């Protein structure tokens, strides 16, 4: 082989390596573009699901317009999903039970997360079917399964305000004692007024549950 032939062969090999490197680089760039697109879709799309699906506790709702929208979404989901399952039913007064609304709302949000295109998984879906949904059905059946709308009329068994927090005024005293003692001393001895308040609370609770 003459010198020019050797030179041409070397140039050919170098050209082949260059072509191969360019091809590999194009593949890498395409993969990076796909990864960036996926990340952008997840980050950019996070705002909308959060606005629609964040649990936003019903018990802490303070915006009438937002609360109405929240209940509207829940009613639609109950019809489309929850009530499709055997054994899932709701008494006519379910909206009058704030704890029931709270249970159903988080169950709806858990369902949305389980089937979310980006965050969802079959494991989450299985957990929703095997544990979360049956748990809510069981609790609602126990707590409001025997209730009806007429029981929420004035004077009826269910027409009672939320249970007050027992001895709430003592919170500051307990907090001061807890911190001042370095979290080691026993709690303060109950005062006569606190004992009387506790007795009234227990009596009222007993009457409301009869």
């Amino acid at each position: 082989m003459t010198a020019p032939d050797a030179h041409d062969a070397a140039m050919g090999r170098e050209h082949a390596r260059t072509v191969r490197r360019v091809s590999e680089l194009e593949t890498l760039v395409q993969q990076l573009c796909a990864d960036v697109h996926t990340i952008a879709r997840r980050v950019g799309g996070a705002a909308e699901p959060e606005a629609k699906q964040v649990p936003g506790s019903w018990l802490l709702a303070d915006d009438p317009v937002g609360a109405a929208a929240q209940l509207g979404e829940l009613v639609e989901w109950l019809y489309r999903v929850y009530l499709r399952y055997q054994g899932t039913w709701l008494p006519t007064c379910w909206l009058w039970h704030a704890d029931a609304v709270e249970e159903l709302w988080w169950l709806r949000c858990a369902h949305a997360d389980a089937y979310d295109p980006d965050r969802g998984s079959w494991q989450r879906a299985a957990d929703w079917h095997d544990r979360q949904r049956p748990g809510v059905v069981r609790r609602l059946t126990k707590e409001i399964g025997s209730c009806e709308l007429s029981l929420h009329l004035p004077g009826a068994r269910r027409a009672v305000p939320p249970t007050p927090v027992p001895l709430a005024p003592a919170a500051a005293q307990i907090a001061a004692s807890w911190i001042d003692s370095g979290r080691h001393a026993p709690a303060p001895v109950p005062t006569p007024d606190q004992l009387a308040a506790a007795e009234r609370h227990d009596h009222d609770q007993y009457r409301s549950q009869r």
Side-chain angles (χ1 to χ4, degrees):
M1 178 180 296
T2 64
D5 291 339
H7 177 72
D8 292 343
M11 290 293 293
R13 289 193 297 271
E14 182 63 25
H15 176 71
R17 285 195 295 268
T18 301
V19 171
R20 184 170 63 253
R21 289 172 182 171
V22 170
S23 178
E24 293 173 352
L25 182 59
E26 289 178 349
T27 301
L28 179 60
V29 170
Q30 291 175 358
Q31 182 60 51
L32 287 174
C33 288
D35 292 342
V36 170
H37 177 72
T38 300
I39 293 172
R41 181 163 52 87
R42 291 181 179 179
V43 174
E48 183 178 355
E50 286 295 325
K52 292 167 46 178
Q53 299 177 0
V54 66
S57 172
W58 173 252
L59 299 178
L60 298 177
D62 56 7
D63 173 27
V65 175
Q70 188 172 335
L71 279 184
E73 293 179 12
L74 180 58
V75 168
E76 180 181 2
W77 180 82
L78 290 172
Y79 175 74
R80 295 183 61 187
V81 178
Y82 184 76
L83 293 175
R84 297 284 179 171
Y85 292 90
Q86 294 293 326
T88 55
W89 68 281
L90 294 171
T92 54
C93 59
W94 72 274
L95 280 168
W96 276 254
H97 295 266
D99 54 342
V101 175
E102 180 86 338
E103 287 262 20
L104 293 166
W105 179 250
W106 79 253
L107 185 66
R108 174 202 174 277
C109 293
H111 182 267
D113 281 345
Y115 288 98
D116 184 87
D118 295 321
R119 300 187 304 272
S121 67
W122 290 118
Q123 288 80 5
R124 286 188 178 187
D127 187 53
W128 189 88
H129 286 278
D130 290 342
R131 184 177 62 86
Q132 294 172 344
R133 182 183 61 81
V136 169
V137 172
R138 183 170 57 252
R139 286 190 295 274
L140 293 186
T141 300
K142 178 181 178 181
E143 297 299 327
I144 65 172
S146 60
C147 194
E148 60 184 39
L149 193 58
S150 62
L151 295 179
H152 292 264
L153 290 170
R157 178 167 58 90
R158 290 285 188 171
V160 295
T163 302
V165 179
L167 277 75
Q173 177 193 10
I174 296 297
S177 173
W178 176 251
I179 299 302
D180 293 344
S181 69
R183 300 175 298 280
H184 296 296
V189 175
T191 66
D193 288 343
Q194 290 169 344
L195 290 171
E199 184 176 356
R200 288 194 300 272
H201 177 272
D202 293 342
H203 178 69
D204 292 343
Q205 286 297 105
Y206 174 74
R207 290 183 60 188
S208 67
Q209 294 174 3
R210 292 184 61 183

